Amino acid sequence: MGDVLGKLVRDRKWSQPAAHAGLFARWAELIGPDLADHCRPVSCNDGELVVEAESATWATQLRLFKSQIMDRLASGVGRGVVTSVRIQAPSQPSYVRGPRRVRFRP
């Protein structure tokens, strides 16, 4: 069964999406539970992995560990699956629209 599934993945060129799915499923195992408690993968497009940290402080800390994270990912899912990591702070709510919006007019 594994051989048939492997052939199907190769024939349909699903190896890259399968590797990305494995990365998301095994996130805590790949980068370690200590770091995984404070961040999560958001997307992976064209080799760029976007990771969202739980706070701006953790985003700064994770940027310092970027090369170690890349090494762990390469050993876990294979070299070339993730070519760069972009770490971002958590997204904040937008107050551009809404009842309490203040317009600035010079």
Side-chain angles (χ1 to χ4, degrees), residues 24-38:
F24 279 72
R26 299 174 37 221
W27 179 248
E29 175 189 334
L30 292 171
I31 69 161
D34 296 335
L35 292 179
D37 286 343
H38 302 287

Side-chain angles (χ1 to χ4, degrees), residues 22-99:
L23 184 148
F24 279 72
R26 299 174 37 221
W27 179 248
E29 175 189 334
L30 292 171
I31 69 161
D34 296 335
L35 292 179
D37 286 343
H38 302 287
C39 63
R40 66 183 183 90
V42 177
S43 67
C44 191
N45 295 318
D46 297 327
E48 180 186 49
L49 175 67
V50 179
V51 177
E52 183 178 79
E54 72 177 12
S55 67
T57 304
W58 267 103
T60 301
Q61 194 72 8
L62 290 170
R63 286 183 190 108
L64 296 174
F65 291 118
K66 193 183 286 190
S67 62
Q68 288 91 344
I69 291 171
M70 287 287 295
D71 290 341
R72 289 179 184 182
L73 294 175
S75 66
V77 295
R79 295 221 177 266
V81 174
V82 177
T83 56
S84 66
V85 175
R86 183 167 45 110
I87 298 169
Q88 62 186 25
S91 57
Q92 300 296 319
S94 174
Y95 297 106
V96 174
R97 300 172 192 254

